[in-house]
């Protein structure tokens, strides 16, 4: 099962995001993990958090 | 009794140009993990990159602060990355990591100079019998 590009994630290069539980779309984004977790308070569902790497460059950690 | 293998899938991220237009995509072996320290606050699931070239788990400091780990209480370790750049990280042990239904206690290096959580040889790979990346199928198999 190949995954598809997460919907809307291109707007969040180099930021933290909360994804829906199936990782199909971005729910909220922010500059820090804490910021995103605060934005998710009271939102239904179980988010998956992700630090989006820069998307305009290759990534070689 | 051996446990069942955990099957997971790669995450596909877009490649964008300077106008934020998608020009391609790249699949990466990222998995959902949950962290917990001393029965305190849990964080996650957070996506972390399986990095077979990393010696240790290496996470951004902000994850540490959320689970109640004080960065500088750890053991200072210098870590060299690509291009020879050396960063300062603090190693903390006693971190509980959950991967699907599997959990283990491990150590994590936290750093203010890291952005994406990395899962390395010591502390992740060595917690499994095998870690297999099936690139063409974009599948990850973890055998506890």
């Amino acid at each position: 099962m190949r995954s598809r590009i997460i919907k809307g994630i291109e707007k969040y290069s180099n930021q933290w995001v909360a994804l829906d539980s199936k990782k199909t779309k971005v729910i909220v984004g922010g500059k820090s993990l804490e910021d995103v977790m605060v934005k998710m308070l009271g939102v239904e569902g179980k988010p998956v958090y992700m630090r989006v790497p820069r998307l305009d460059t290759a990534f070689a950690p | 009794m051996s446990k069942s293998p955990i099957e997971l899938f790669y995450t596909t991220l877009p490649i964008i140009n300077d106008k934020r237009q998608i020009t391609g995509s790249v699949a990466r072996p990222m998995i959902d993990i949950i962290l917990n320290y001393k029965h305190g606050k849990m964080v996650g699931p957070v996506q972390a990159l399986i990095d077979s070239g990393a010696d240790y788990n290496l996470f951004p400091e902000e994850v540490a602060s959320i689970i109640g780990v004080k960065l500088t209480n750890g053991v200072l370790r210098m870590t060299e990355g690509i291009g020879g750049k050396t960063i300062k990280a603090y190693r903390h042990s006693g971190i509980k990591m959950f991967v699907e239904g599997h959990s283990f206690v491990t150590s994590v290096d936290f750093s203010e100079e890291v952005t994406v959580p990395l899962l390395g040889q010591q502390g992740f790979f060595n917690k499994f019998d095998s870690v297999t990346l099936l690139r063409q199928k974009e599948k990850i198999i973890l055998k506890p």
Side-chain angles (χ1 to χ4, degrees), chain B residues 47-97:
Chain B
Q47 284 254 291
L49 180 70
I50 296 176
D51 183 359
S52 63
D55 288 340
Y56 296 92
N57 297 323
L58 185 59
F59 278 53
E61 183 277 334
E62 55 190 311
V63 174
S65 61
I66 288 171
I67 61 171
V69 167
K70 183 169 167 40
L71 181 69
T72 54
N73 282 355
V75 179
L76 177 62
R77 298 282 179 177
M78 303 307 290
T79 298
E80 184 177 318
I82 194 156
K85 188 187 173 196
T86 302
I87 63 164
K88 194 185 284 189
Y90 293 88
R91 185 164 302 156
H92 290 262
S93 55
I95 310 286
K96 193 161 190 183
M97 189 177 290

Side-chain angles (χ1 to χ4, degrees), chain B residues 78-131:
Chain B
M78 303 307 290
T79 298
E80 184 177 318
I82 194 156
K85 188 187 173 196
T86 302
I87 63 164
K88 194 185 284 189
Y90 293 88
R91 185 164 302 156
H92 290 262
S93 55
I95 310 286
K96 193 161 190 183
M97 189 177 290
F98 299 81
V99 182
E100 296 295 316
H102 184 61
S103 68
F104 49 89
V105 177
T106 188
S107 62
V108 177
D109 292 0
F110 291 102
S111 174
E112 291 173 325
E113 300 169 81
V114 170
T115 55
V116 176
L118 303 176
L119 299 168
Q121 292 288 341
Q122 295 294 126
F124 181 75
F125 280 75
N126 68 338
K127 299 293 182 180
F128 293 91
D129 187 40
S130 65
V131 176

Side-chain angles (χ1 to χ4, degrees), chain A residues 31-50:
Chain A
K31 296 290 182 193
S32 71
L33 176 57
E34 187 174 15
D35 176 31
V36 171
M37 290 175 78
V38 168
K39 287 179 181 174
M40 285 304 297
L41 290 174
V43 177
E44 293 276 332
K46 293 182 178 176
V48 176
Y49 298 99
M50 175 196 273

Side-chain angles (χ1 to χ4, degrees), chain A residues 1-6 9-11 13-16 19 23 31-34 37 47-61, chain B residues 9-16 20 22 24-25 28 30 32 41 43-47 49 51 60 62-63 66 82 115-118 136-138:
Chain A
M1 185 182 76
R2 288 171 185 268
S3 64
R4 294 184 176 187
I5 293 174
I6 300 159
I9 203 163
E10 66 275 11
K11 298 170 190 162
S13 178
N14 210 24
Q15 295 183 47
W16 281 93
L19 308 173
K23 292 178 276 189
K31 296 290 182 193
S32 71
L33 176 57
E34 187 174 15
M37 290 175 78
V48 176
Y49 298 99
M50 175 196 273
R51 169 70 191 210
V52 183
R54 280 187 61 172
L55 299 173
D56 59 343
T57 62
F59 186 60
Chain B
F9 292 92
Y10 278 53
T11 296
T12 301
L13 291 170
I15 298 165
I16 62 172
R20 289 191 177 181
I22 298 173
S25 66
R28 294 188 176 133
M30 300 181 82
D32 297 354
K41 188 173 179 181
V43 65
V46 173
Q47 284 254 291
L49 180 70
D51 183 359
E62 55 190 311
V63 174
I66 288 171
I82 194 156
T115 55
V116 176
L118 303 176
Q136 292 305 316
K137 293 179 178 174
E138 297 183 3

